């Protein structure tokens, strides 16, 4: 196989620095697997950006090709479920963590980690959605399984990020109109973006945390998609209505949750944990089918704030780490 380009994460001997470089690569740089894919698109996630920093615990071994998701076309396969020419999606598992990832023109993974591309979705659309959108869809699917309907009120934290902004767009596509977005970004551009994605109300974290948090507060929200955790989640939980649910899928604001049992035993509130890494194959296919149909936003490309090349990935990672990005980075490789 000829050489190809990939984003490599290389750790210094003293463990204090990680170099992120686009380098010529060969098949020997790829982790084992029975399916080789020519990558068409990848996306850039906050987890990818964290992986470029020392001592974050994201990467299990170095050096490693970065990227936790990709879509593309099978080049070769010894897996009976896939053949040359098949269009596929890969998210989660060990990709970009302990297994060579999707920020590479060529990827190799076990076939069990791949999902066939749904007929009504393109390779490009699948990575506009990416891991972030897959996570958002898992949260929506779980909330609806616990009774959420379009007439109810949903609050989404971290709403300018990938998961939050795509959750807004998906709920809008389903006919939800009472959508409250929470974001620390207060620029006109951020507010315009959130409104475009479907937010009917926009709050800052201070709007929810400035008052003293009591065990039970005014009932305001039927459901919550939380990507932040920490003190913000502590302030939101007492505001969830009787029978409501919270789908938790992030910890950007911290891993601690300080609360009481009262929302659970007096208001029948439920916490739903959302994990997109180890989702079983059957569930993955169900969620991707929904992403290709009823959860697919009408203007999906509005979620993309920048389309970048592999060479632009290191700079884009810094933008994500510094909170300078709204929406999604789409990485184009072999479109």
């Amino acid at each position: 196989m000829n050489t190809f380009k990939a984003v490599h994460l290389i750790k210094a001997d003293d463990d204090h620095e990680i170099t992120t470089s686009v380098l010529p690569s060969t098949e020997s740089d790829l982790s084992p697997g029975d399916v080789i894919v020519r990558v068409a698109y990848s996306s850039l996630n906050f987890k990818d950006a964290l992986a470029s920093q020392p001592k974050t615990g994201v990467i299990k071994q170095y050096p490693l090709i970065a990227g936790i998701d990709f879509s593309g076309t099978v080049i070769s396969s010894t897996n009976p479920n896939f053949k040359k020419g098949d269009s596929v999606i890969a998210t989660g598992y060990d990709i970009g963590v302990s297994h060579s990832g999707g920020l590479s023109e060529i990827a190799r993974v076990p076939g069990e980690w791949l999902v066939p591309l749904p007929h009504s979705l393109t390779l490009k659309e699948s990575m506009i959605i990416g891991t972030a959108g897959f996570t958002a869809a898992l949260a929506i699917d779980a909330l609806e399984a616990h009774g959420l309907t379009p007439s109810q009120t949903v609050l989404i934290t971290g709403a300018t990020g990938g998961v939050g902004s795509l959750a807004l767009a998906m709920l809008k596509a389903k006919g939800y109109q009472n959508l409250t977005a929470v974001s620390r970004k207060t620029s006109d551009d951020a507010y315009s973006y959130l409104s475009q994605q479907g937010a009917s109300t926009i709050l800052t974290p201070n709007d929810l945390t400035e008052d003293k948090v009591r065990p039970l507060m005014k009932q305001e929200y039927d459901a919550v998609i939380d990507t932040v955790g920490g003190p913000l989640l502590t302030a939101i939980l007492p505001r969830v209505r009787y029978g409501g649910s919270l789908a938790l899928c992030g910890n950007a604001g911290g891993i601690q949750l300080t609360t009481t049992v009262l929302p659970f035993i007096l208001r029948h509130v439920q916490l739903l944990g959302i994990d997109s890494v180890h989702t079983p194959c059957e569930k993955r296919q169900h969620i991707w089918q929904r992403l290709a149909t009823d959860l697919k936003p009408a203007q999906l490309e509005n979620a993309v704030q920048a389309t970048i090349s592999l060479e632009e990935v290191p700079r884009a990672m810094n933008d994500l780490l510094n909170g300078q990005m709204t929406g999604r980075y789409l990485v184009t490789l072999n479109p």
Side-chain angles (χ1 to χ4, degrees), residues 107-125:
R108 181 169 59 194
V109 295
E112 291 75 19
W113 295 0
L114 296 172
V115 173
L117 182 75
H119 294 302
S120 52
L121 205 62
T122 67
L123 290 172
K124 181 179 180 180
E125 289 172 334

Side-chain angles (χ1 to χ4, degrees), residues 264-325:
F264 309 106
I265 65 174
L266 298 182
R267 289 186 179 169
H268 189 47
V269 170
Q270 300 175 72
L271 290 181
L272 309 175
I274 304 300
D275 166 54
S276 65
V277 174
H278 300 292
T279 306
C281 182
E282 185 177 347
K283 181 72 170 182
R284 285 180 184 272
Q285 293 182 4
H286 165 71
I287 294 297
W288 277 107
Q289 191 57 45
R290 290 200 67 184
L291 284 164
T293 52
D294 68 307
L295 288 181
K296 183 178 180 182
Q299 303 295 328
L300 180 57
E301 296 213 9
N302 288 343
V304 178
Q305 294 297 289
T307 299
I308 62 175
S309 65
L310 280 182
E311 286 74 15
E312 296 173 286
V313 164
R315 173 193 58 78
M317 285 181 171
N318 286 330
D319 289 346
L320 279 173
L321 290 169
N322 294 325
Q324 297 174 345
M325 185 60 186

Side-chain angles (χ1 to χ4, degrees), residues 12-29:
D13 291 338
D14 61 5
D15 287 351
H16 293 306
E17 184 179 359
I18 296 173
T19 303
T20 305
S21 302
V22 180
L23 300 174
S25 309
T26 66
E27 188 174 326
S28 64
D29 295 307

Side-chain angles (χ1 to χ4, degrees), residues 60-201:
K60 307 302 181 185
Q61 60 184 33
Y62 294 90
L64 188 72
I65 293 175
I68 63 171
D69 54 24
F70 64 85
S71 64
T73 305
V74 173
I75 298 174
S76 64
S77 171
T78 58
N79 186 294
N81 295 319
F82 297 97
K83 65 183 185 302
K84 182 178 180 180
D86 285 348
S87 296
V88 293
I89 305 167
T91 66
Y93 296 103
D94 294 328
I95 299 169
V97 174
S98 60
H99 190 102
S100 55
L103 290 170
S104 172
E105 293 180 322
I106 303 293
R108 181 169 59 194
V109 295
E112 291 75 19
W113 295 0
L114 296 172
V115 173
L117 182 75
H119 294 302
S120 52
L121 205 62
T122 67
L123 290 172
K124 181 179 180 180
E125 289 172 334
S126 72
M127 280 300 107
I128 295 175
I129 295 168
T131 299
F134 178 68
T135 304
L138 282 170
I140 294 169
D141 191 71
L143 290 170
E144 290 185 335
H146 283 77
L148 182 65
T149 64
S151 64
Q152 294 178 305
T153 300
V154 185
L155 180 141
I156 300 99
T157 67
T160 53
V163 176
S165 61
L166 284 167
L168 281 170
M170 291 174 196
L171 290 167
K172 179 182 178 181
K174 286 284 293 178
Y176 288 79
Q177 297 181 0
N178 300 314
L179 302 176
T180 298
V182 183
S183 174
R184 59 186 177 85
K185 296 180 179 179
T186 58
S187 67
D188 290 343
D189 286 345
Y191 275 52
S192 175
Y193 176 70
L194 291 172
S195 296
Q196 181 186 62
Q197 291 297 97
S200 55
T201 303

